[in-house]
Amino acid sequence: MKDKKIIFSGIQPSGNLTLGNYLGAIINWIPRQDEYNCIYSIVDLHALTVRQNPAELRQKTRSLLALYIACGLDPDKNVLFVQSHNGAHAELAWILNCYTYTGELSRMTQFKEKSQSHADNINAGLFTYPVLMAADILLYQTDLVPVGHDQKQHLEITRDIAQRFNNIYGEVFTVPEAYIPEVGARIMSLQQPENKMSKSDENPNNYISLLDSPNTIVKKFKRAVTDSERIIRYDEKDKPGISNLMSIYASVVGKSYKEIEEEFQGKGYGDFKQRVGEAVAETLKPIQEKHRELMADKGYLDNIMKDGAERAENLSYRTLRKVYKKIGLVPRG
Ligand code: ATP
Ligand code: LTN
């Protein structure tokens, strides 16, 4: 029996974490470590849907683990592990592929977008990406999945797959809920505020990396695209740039939009951008220091990975066996 509810989430090691990943996802992971059983994965198999440089992928996987810890996830309280270290994910994904329709996969926005941005490599993995994500979540009988807004559709298909399976075989999977924060769930690109901030963006001026120096952070904010109105007020439609900076500032300092409008009443965009940059740099400073320390201790990170993989395997084993049995695979004995 479960003693506490279960949280599962993951991030691809496809680049350095951005402020979007931090404010949309990780920041909501930290306060839940006591109340829930939390499992956080570095989803390296998902990252393979886009061509990766092998040496860099290895480096980014370690760096992401270090960032998880540096952001405040305690490896004793949370299961932190690398997706490919637990074979159950790929195993369950294959089975769930046979319970997912190509029609529903072809409606996924992320698939459509990535097919456009990687037109030379629209591989089958990119298409079935949400099925592997469903496997990640369902293996652990997850109750809650804290993610950014862009993952809402993937959570919906996960629920559909779980319900479809349960309807045929009985209550095998817990049907998970998404947790999407009200502020910070959709951080936009600094230069193109109509697009989401993304860690695999080719133009580094579009995103703030969690590892950017304070100088770079302030510079990137200073260059952020705004508008010509010169009033700091929240209006996503007509003022996407300023609204994006406001949501970043709101998440980082914990103020409401109204309080921010008051704080910067009569002030120019230059002052506002400077302040947002400084606030972000201050927030990231301790994370960067801790990350640096952790990256210097390879043995420590290796141990966490090994321990996390074992715990993840143990937790997922029962669901996988149950699925195998239900669908009629002969037990190995
Ligand atoms: P990639 O550029 O490789 O597609 P990504 O930056 O979109 O990566 P993911 O690894 O796909 O990041 O997502 C990790 C988590 O961060 C997910 O929960 C996702 O919803 C969240 N997230 C990603 N981008 C943003 C954003 N711009 N604003 C808020 N949350 C985000
Ligand atoms: N698809 C997600 C990353 C991801 C994930 C998961 C998130 C893979 N598996 C399980 C939550 C739960 C993304 O692209 N952001």
Side-chain angles (χ1 to χ4, degrees), residues 197-297:
M197 186 181 281
S198 168
K199 68 173 117 65
S200 57
D201 200 309
E202 274 166 18
N203 178 2
N205 282 324
N206 280 336
Y207 59 79
I208 301 290
S209 157
L210 294 199
L211 300 177
D212 278 344
S213 71
N215 252 340
T216 306
I217 294 174
V218 173
K219 248 192 241 155
K220 285 185 181 177
F221 276 110
K222 285 250 163 185
R223 283 197 207 120
V225 167
T226 50
D227 54 70
S228 54
E229 193 192 41
R230 314 225 136 273
I231 297 172
I232 291 143
R233 67 178 174 91
Y234 195 86
D235 178 345
E236 257 178 51
K237 196 171 141 282
D238 290 333
K239 297 168 73 67
I242 284 293
S243 302
N244 187 39
L245 299 185
M246 283 179 76
S247 63
I248 292 173
Y249 191 60
S251 297
V252 168
V253 301
K255 286 192 175 177
S256 68
Y257 295 142
K258 196 161 170 289
E259 286 168 327
I260 298 171
E261 284 169 4
E262 280 162 14
E263 182 181 346
F264 292 97
Q265 205 173 24
K267 299 213 174 102
Y269 285 176
D271 290 343
F272 177 52
K273 288 172 163 184
Q274 175 81 25
R275 182 66 200 115
V276 178
E278 284 167 4
V280 169
E282 275 161 37
T283 304
L284 297 186
K285 194 166 171 248
I287 296 175
Q288 297 180 345
E289 277 164 13
K290 183 85 188 163
H291 178 263
R292 209 170 305 129
E293 265 170 42
L294 289 165
M295 286 303 277
D297 195 346

Side-chain angles (χ1 to χ4, degrees), residues 14-118:
S14 48
N16 281 328
L17 279 198
T18 69
L19 196 57
N21 302 134
Y22 181 66
L23 300 179
I26 300 190
I27 214 175
N28 300 305
W29 301 357
I30 314 299
R32 298 193 161 69
Q33 17 194 358
D34 295 312
E35 214 183 312
Y36 289 83
N37 283 328
C38 302
I39 308 162
Y40 296 113
S41 186
I42 294 158
V43 291
D44 53 350
L45 297 175
H46 276 107
L48 299 178
T49 52
V50 169
R51 205 62 76 228
Q52 302 287 341
N53 170 307
E56 278 177 22
L57 180 60
R58 246 187 303 275
Q59 195 277 337
K60 283 175 183 161
T61 302
R62 284 179 195 285
S63 172
L64 185 48
L65 176 66
L67 268 177
Y68 276 6
I69 303 167
C71 287
L73 291 177
D74 179 342
D76 291 330
K77 290 188 188 162
N78 306 271
V79 178
L80 307 180
F81 79 105
V82 177
Q83 185 188 32
S84 63
H85 290 178
N86 180 5
H89 292 249
E91 287 186 60
L92 183 62
W94 171 255
I95 291 171
L96 296 183
N97 266 319
C98 306
Y99 295 82
T100 307
Y101 301 114
T102 54
E104 51 189 350
L105 289 175
S106 57
R107 285 195 289 275
M108 294 292 117
T109 313
Q110 184 171 309
F111 172 66
K112 291 188 214 160
E113 283 174 2
K114 295 244 159 159
S115 301
Q116 269 180 5
S117 54
H118 299 92

